[in-house]
Amino acid sequence: MTVRRDFQEPARCRPDLVIAREELFTAAHEQLTRGGSVLLHGPAGIGKSTVLRALAAEYGGAAHTVLRCSATESESHLPFLALADLLGLVLDRVSARLPSAQATALESALTGRGESSLQRDGLALRLAVLSALRALAAEGTVLVVADDLQWLDPASAELLGFAARRLGDTPVQLLCAVRTEGQEYDRHLRASPPDTLAVRLGPLTRTQVSALLDHRGYSGLPRSTVREIHRTSGGNPLFALELGRAIAENPTPPRPGEPLPVPTSLRALVLSRLDMLSVEARRTLLVASAGARPTPALLHAAGRENAEAECAQAAELGLLATEPEDPAVRFAHPLISAALYAEAPAHERRAAHAALSTAAPDPIERARHLALATTGTDPETAARLAEAAALSRDRGAPSVAAQLGLLAARHTPADGLPGPDERRLQAAEDAITAGEVDLARDIAREVLTRATVPADRVRAWMVVIETAGHTMTEVDAVFPQALADAGDDPRLLALVHYQMAWRALIVEGDFTEARQAAAHTAELAERGGDRRTELLALAFLAQIETLMGHPAAPLTIKRAMKEPQDPRVACHHNGAGSARFRWLVMGDQLAEARATVTALLREVRRRGSVESEVHFLRGLAETELRSGHCGRALELARESLALARDSGIGETASGMLTSLAEASGGDVDRALALAREAVEHAEQDGDQMYLSRALGALGYAQLVAGDPAGAVRSLRRVRELEGALGITDPARGRWHGDLAEALVRIGSHDEAQDVIEVTRAHALRLGRESVLAVLDRAEALVRAAQGERDAAIAQLTSAQDRLAKLGHGLEEARAAFLLAQLRAARPGPTAYDEAARLFRRCRALPWLRQVEAAVSAPEPDPEPVVAPPAALDALEGLASMERQVAALVMEGATNREIAARLFISVKTVEATLTRVYRKLGIRSRVDIVRLAAGRRAK
């Protein structure tokens, strides 16, 4: 199995490997490579056999002989069956090398012929198995692969354990798997060689279960359904796949709030002991399975008078888990509860819910049970469910609100007020907040098949557009239909024009059109009395003007933050708070930006808004990265990416930012992979905005990786894109200094200076102090490359001091690193102390490795040959860069030293020297030194 392509590193070629087992697979493989043995253990269906097969396939080729057996429960009573599987095919190879008594005992056990048996000649047979393994090991390593050790017949298990404990240094390794619960694997470990590594396979995460279902063809399941599959299966891959198969084969999807359909295969597996319960005990367990948090008190309140005794009976049968300090009624596995519920007749399930609708202590829980106990439409039930949905929304549980809203719609009469479609659309909007965009899209499309009210239709179209995210090209046909349904209603038109403003920005990359559309939206919303849409439009307008470097941006932000405010907009990722945060970050007010985004993140987590949480996690990560807290930034960026993958929201943006964080404080190769994935996704989605951001991240990662030419290619594209988009504020992407530095390193000094001067003009107009300092740092490299060493040092020193005062720790450390390279032609290790200290403070590991590489660079010759001024006359026909490189060769500098002094790559030095040789008619750097010596002799 493989993980789907969502910003993943290239997967190793390893068929059949269970998802998320890479780390334990590596540990087990390394153990086998060292000559040790491995015991895989875990509960039924957890994937032990799959991992065992993958390990045997990958490592088995290194063994001279592979012996296999796989036991089954039905055959466990047959003596020596597993031994026959292991040694039956090699008996002829080893029998001649065994003592006569041992050979006879072994042949008798394997074939059933002769008089010897384990009882009559047990020692001979034990020694025979040990001798046979030693004889095979004399030819080369032996790998014994045994699956389902728990079903091994006792005779074979005893013989294998006897031999395993006595093999010593004999090259015989065991690779076994056994079904266990808890620490039961200990007895199997005691029967294994002393150097055996026990590896427990645990449950999969929800993301891994989703990937597993996708891989097996059960893709497209709503996020809420995947979440329920994960909960019901307990992360067990076998159970998850069986549940996924049952849902895929069921023409009617599970209704909100109801447990999943459990296939017969799993019911039989987990309910084999149910027949041993009394009828009343089964009813008590059914009530417990229907409840959210069942306790004996709740069961009593629901009419189960003998709950304690009946639960004790179920616990003795292993259906319930008992914990002395926990009064809750807990099933031994979530699947038992689901199977028990699925097994019960519909009228019994309704009766259980009816009892819980009055017994449950929480109003939300009572409303859910009332809905599941009621058939048909009922205004009172619908009203109670709508109230429970609103309460869930206020509690920050939008996913629960969406489920309750759908239940409310189902029980709402067609002529009810509000109507069923209105309640469905509210549920769809709650689903969007919860990050369940697939559920929201399905609800909206269902409404559109029958709705005739313009407000309902426009609202449904907006849900369809919202769920498209940044792939807005996929819903282009929606806009004219939405405009037609909106008619001349300013309130409805405002909703449509707000999305059209986003389309102009994301798809067309037209800032002017987006700005005009946002302003028009705000006017329409104000006329229609829709303050929420008006605030969103003003916040969007402020963000566009900020990116454009428009002078009206501060005033627009103030307008967006004026009272009255809508609390849903105040913390929305596209609201005024977000626009203000972006303004603070771009204006170098990092402390205030951190406080602002932290408060926003706290609030959206309270409200359960997944998309906003992903967004503000990125914002906080960016703030920490700007502040030079690379380790913390990396943690936050990875958290954002994990949540984005789990919800399917904002993956491109989170992948881009995680790339920046990895390149600054983590793994550069990972940074490159993430950035390339982000670029690919943005191109596929037609997202011009994030394409430029992703290319910026790629260029930075390439620069850190020592590939300035690649960085130039990527960042030149960013310059072209942002020029076409009309983005003039250099604080938006902060790639300009990196492009200038990369250009210097490949020898394109004039282009580097042009980038610096054009960007400086915008930065001065907007007061972007940190951008100006970074540009000065880059310009110092241009000056150093042109021979203005003292001016370059002064400019770098000033840039470092200003970046330190502004709190841009990583940029400060980069300036210190360049100063260390520039201050002396041949700096010793101590010259880098300040840069190393600053990079360590930032936890900027990739940059710290560059410092270590510079410190460990080979020392130059102690007394280099110095060319006299006359010797330089021969270089007059060379270009500037060629002349500088040749002059340094005459001084005896190595290619690495030349690259460091001129701030270019070693490859650029080599290419430049090739041109010098051709122009001077010489063949090597030795000839340049000779040329200098010849000039000196004259």
Side-chain angles (χ1 to χ4, degrees):
M1 302 176 192
T2 56
V3 180
R4 63 183 176 185
R5 184 192 60 77
D6 282 341
F7 297 101
Q8 296 292 323
E9 293 179 6
R12 293 186 178 90
C13 181
R14 186 171 292 139
D16 256 0
L17 181 59
V18 174
I19 288 171
R21 307 303 193 196
E22 185 68 27
E23 185 175 345
L24 64 84
F25 186 98
T26 300
H29 189 272
E30 289 176 353
Q31 170 75 357
L32 293 170
T33 303
R34 289 192 295 266
S37 297
V38 173
L39 176 68
L40 305 170
H41 64 98
I46 205 68
K48 302 178 299 298
S49 298
T50 305
V51 175
L52 180 121
R53 286 194 299 270
L55 282 167
E58 184 153 320
Y59 180 75
H64 185 272
T65 303
V66 179
L67 308 177
R68 301 175 185 271
C69 72
S70 182
T72 63
E73 184 177 11
S74 62
E75 299 170 343
S76 60
H77 65 286
L78 300 174
F80 306 125
L81 188 62
L83 186 67
D85 287 343
L86 287 172
L87 298 178
L89 297 178
V90 296
L91 180 60
D92 294 340
R93 285 170 53 188
V94 299
S95 58
R97 286 179 274 176
L98 302 181
S100 176
Q102 293 181 21
T104 301
L106 184 59
E107 183 177 358
S108 175
L110 296 184
T111 65
R113 296 191 299 270
E115 298 180 357
S116 180
S117 69
L118 179 61
Q119 290 76 24
R120 295 184 56 187
D121 201 3
L123 180 59
L125 183 54
R126 291 184 180 94
L127 294 174
V129 173
L130 180 59
S131 299
L133 291 173
R134 285 173 173 167
L136 291 170
E139 302 171 356
T141 301
V142 176
L143 178 65
V144 178
V145 181
D147 198 4
D148 283 318
L149 282 185
Q150 73 278 1
W151 302 133
L152 246 62
D153 62 273
S156 297
E158 198 280 335
L159 290 168
L160 192 59
F162 176 87
R165 291 189 297 271
R166 290 163 175 80
L167 286 169
D169 295 333
T170 306
V172 176
Q173 299 170 259
L174 270 65
L175 172 57
C176 306
V178 60
R179 181 188 301 180
T180 58
E181 297 292 343
Q183 298 298 314
E184 295 175 10
Y185 72 94
D186 279 353
R187 64 186 180 87
H188 297 285
L189 192 60
R190 287 193 294 270
S192 303
D195 60 349
T196 300
L197 173 68
V199 178
R200 178 169 179 78
L201 276 71
L204 302 182
T205 66
R206 187 171 67 192
T207 303
Q208 292 157 358
V209 165
S210 177
L212 174 64
L213 292 168
D214 282 351
H215 179 75
R216 289 298 181 91
Y218 307 130
S219 56
L221 295 174
R223 182 169 174 258
S224 55
T225 302
V226 173
R227 183 178 61 238
E228 191 62 21
I229 289 175
H230 176 256
R231 188 196 67 78
T232 303
S233 68
N236 184 297
L238 173 64
F239 297 170
L241 287 171
E242 285 297 298
L243 291 168
R245 181 180 60 79
I247 292 170
E249 293 175 354
N250 190 341
T252 305
R255 296 193 301 180
E258 289 187 349
L260 298 177
V262 179
T264 305
S265 59
L266 291 185
R267 294 189 201 181
L269 178 65
V270 300
L271 297 180
S272 57
R273 288 158 287 187
L274 193 63
D275 291 339
M276 301 174 69
L277 286 174
S278 66
V279 173
E280 292 302 314
R282 287 183 63 159
R283 287 176 179 165
T284 294
L285 289 191
L286 175 60
V287 175
S289 72
R293 294 174 296 277
T295 62
L298 176 64
L299 295 176
H300 275 293
R304 308 311 303 166
E305 297 178 357
N306 299 315
E308 286 89 347
E310 289 160 353
C311 287
Q313 182 188 4
E316 290 177 3
L317 294 173
L319 294 168
L320 295 180
T322 57
E323 297 180 18
E325 298 179 359
D326 187 356
V329 177
R330 300 188 185 280
F331 286 88
H333 192 282
L335 188 60
I336 296 175
S337 172
L340 184 68
Y341 186 93
E343 190 81 4
H347 70 277
E348 290 188 11
R349 293 202 295 261
R350 286 196 296 272
H353 286 298
L356 289 167
S357 69
T358 58
D362 185 81
I364 293 175
E365 187 68 10
R366 289 197 299 272
R368 186 181 76 89
H369 288 301
L370 178 62
L372 296 174
T374 305
T375 57
T377 59
D378 181 74
E380 182 181 349
T381 299
R384 283 185 58 184
L385 285 163
E387 291 171 4
L391 182 56
S392 298
R393 202 175 300 120
D394 292 341
R395 288 182 180 179
S399 179
V400 175
Q403 290 188 2
L404 292 169
L406 288 176
L407 287 171
R410 198 170 78 209
H411 290 288
T412 300
D415 58 351
L417 288 175
D421 281 343
E422 189 173 346
R423 282 178 166 153
R424 287 189 183 92
L425 289 169
Q426 179 61 64
E429 290 162 1
D430 287 330
I432 290 176
T433 301
E436 298 178 8
V437 293
D438 43 8
L439 175 61
R441 186 186 305 112
D442 291 343
I443 295 170
R445 287 173 175 167
E446 180 188 353
V447 169
L448 285 166
T449 60
R450 59 172 177 270
T452 57
V453 178
D456 288 346
R457 291 189 61 80
V458 171
R459 197 171 165 192
W461 288 126
M462 295 307 98
V463 170
V464 172
I465 294 171
E466 282 279 348
T467 57
H470 281 232
T471 59
M472 296 189 79
T473 53
E474 296 178 2
V475 292
D476 272 349
V478 167
F479 289 97
Q481 297 178 71
L483 285 170
D485 284 329
D488 56 1
D489 186 330
R491 189 181 184 93
L492 298 181
L493 285 170
L495 295 174
V496 183
H497 280 275
Y498 176 68
Q499 296 295 344
M500 291 174 68
W502 275 104
R503 188 191 179 283
L505 181 66
I506 292 173
V507 179
E508 302 298 335
D510 191 328
F511 274 66
T512 302
E513 182 183 343
R515 181 172 180 268
Q516 291 172 351
H520 184 47
T521 299
E523 293 170 6
L524 287 168
E526 185 180 17
R527 269 197 283 142
D530 183 354
R531 181 61 173 164
R532 180 176 186 273
T533 303
E534 181 187 2
L535 290 170
L536 285 170
L538 288 171
F540 182 49
L541 180 60
Q543 294 202 48
I544 296 172
E545 290 176 342
T546 297
L547 294 174
M548 295 175 72
H550 198 285
L555 180 60
T556 305
I557 292 175
K558 288 181 181 178
R559 286 180 63 198
M561 300 194 74
K562 282 178 63 176
E563 297 293 340
Q565 285 290 316
D566 184 320
R568 294 173 298 169
V569 177
C571 64
H572 193 274
H573 56 279
N574 289 325
S578 181
R580 180 173 178 272
F581 159 71
R582 177 57 49 197
W583 178 262
L584 291 169
V585 169
M586 294 173 70
D588 299 318
Q589 300 178 61
L590 297 179
E592 191 173 354
R594 182 185 295 107
T596 299
V597 74
T598 300
L600 289 167
L601 181 59
R602 186 184 306 115
E603 179 62 16
V604 298
R605 280 176 165 165
R606 188 189 71 79
R607 291 176 174 271
S609 178
V610 174
E611 184 171 7
S612 293
E613 182 178 357
V614 172
H615 181 90
F616 291 131
L617 275 170
R618 286 199 306 268
L620 184 53
E622 181 184 354
T623 306
E624 298 294 359
L625 197 59
R626 299 290 171 222
S627 302
H629 305 151
C630 298
R632 176 64 175 151
L634 185 56
E635 292 172 3
L636 290 163
R638 286 173 174 172
E639 184 181 353
S640 171
L641 181 56
L643 185 57
R645 286 174 175 167
D646 187 29
S647 62
I649 296 173
E651 293 173 85
T652 301
S654 294
M656 173 275 299
L657 185 55
T658 308
S659 171
L660 288 171
E662 290 281 1
S664 298
D667 184 327
V668 179
D669 290 336
R670 175 72 169 155
L672 290 166
L674 285 168
R676 290 187 176 110
E677 289 277 9
V679 169
E680 181 182 350
H681 280 222
E683 289 176 333
Q684 290 173 352
D685 295 344
D687 187 340
Q688 298 298 303
M689 287 290 292
Y690 272 110
L691 177 58
S692 68
R693 297 293 302 273
L695 284 166
L698 178 57
Y700 173 68
Q702 288 167 323
L703 183 64
V704 178
D707 179 15
V712 166
R713 287 193 299 272
S714 298
L715 297 177
R716 276 175 176 161
R717 284 188 65 191
V718 178
R719 193 182 189 192
E720 293 169 3
L721 276 169
E722 293 200 354
L725 289 169
I727 298 174
T728 60
D729 194 330
R732 185 252 185 178
R734 297 178 183 269
W735 48 266
H736 313 74
D738 291 335
L739 174 56
E741 181 175 334
L743 286 166
V744 172
R745 294 191 183 282
I746 66 169
S748 299
H749 303 148
D750 292 343
E751 186 181 351
Q753 190 63 45
D754 178 66
V755 170
I756 292 166
E757 290 174 359
V758 170
T759 308
R760 183 179 281 141
H762 292 302
L764 284 168
R765 175 174 58 85
L766 296 167
R768 301 306 192 210
E769 293 298 329
S770 63
V771 174
L772 290 168
V774 168
L775 291 173
D776 281 354
R777 186 184 69 197
E779 190 171 52
L781 300 185
V782 177
R783 289 185 168 185
Q786 294 172 343
E788 302 175 29
R789 182 171 171 275
D790 292 341
I793 289 175
Q795 195 169 15
L796 267 175
T797 303
S798 172
Q800 181 183 346
D801 291 344
R802 286 149 57 205
L803 288 166
K805 290 175 183 175
L806 291 168
H808 285 257
L810 181 58
E811 301 295 356
E812 175 197 357
R814 289 178 61 180
F817 184 30
L818 294 174
L819 269 173
Q821 292 175 301
L822 190 58
R823 274 185 168 137
R826 297 175 180 81
T830 56
Y832 292 97
D833 285 351
E834 174 71 0
R837 181 185 68 80
L838 292 174
F839 281 135
R840 284 194 196 95
R841 184 183 69 183
C842 294
R843 288 180 61 189
L845 302 182
W847 287 104
L848 192 58
R849 284 190 282 272
Q850 290 195 27
V851 174
E852 292 168 351
V855 170
S856 60
E859 291 291 333
D861 296 333
E863 295 182 1
V865 176
V866 179
L872 301 179
D873 295 344
L875 309 182
E876 291 177 357
L878 302 178
S880 173
M881 174 63 73
E882 295 166 350
R883 193 160 54 248
Q884 292 178 70
V885 170
L888 288 171
V889 169
M890 289 179 176
E891 294 179 13
T894 66
N895 286 2
R896 184 186 293 274
E897 291 166 347
I898 295 170
R901 290 180 61 175
L902 297 182
F903 296 96
I904 59 178
S905 68
V906 174
K907 288 184 178 180
T908 301
V909 174
E910 293 169 351
T912 304
L913 279 174
T914 300
R915 294 195 298 273
V916 169
Y917 300 154
R918 185 174 63 252
K919 290 182 178 181
L920 297 181
I922 57 180
R923 296 184 177 181
S924 69
R925 61 189 297 124
V926 175
D927 291 333
I928 295 179
V929 176
R930 287 173 178 164
L931 177 64
R935 290 279 179 174
R936 185 183 298 109
K938 293 179 181 179

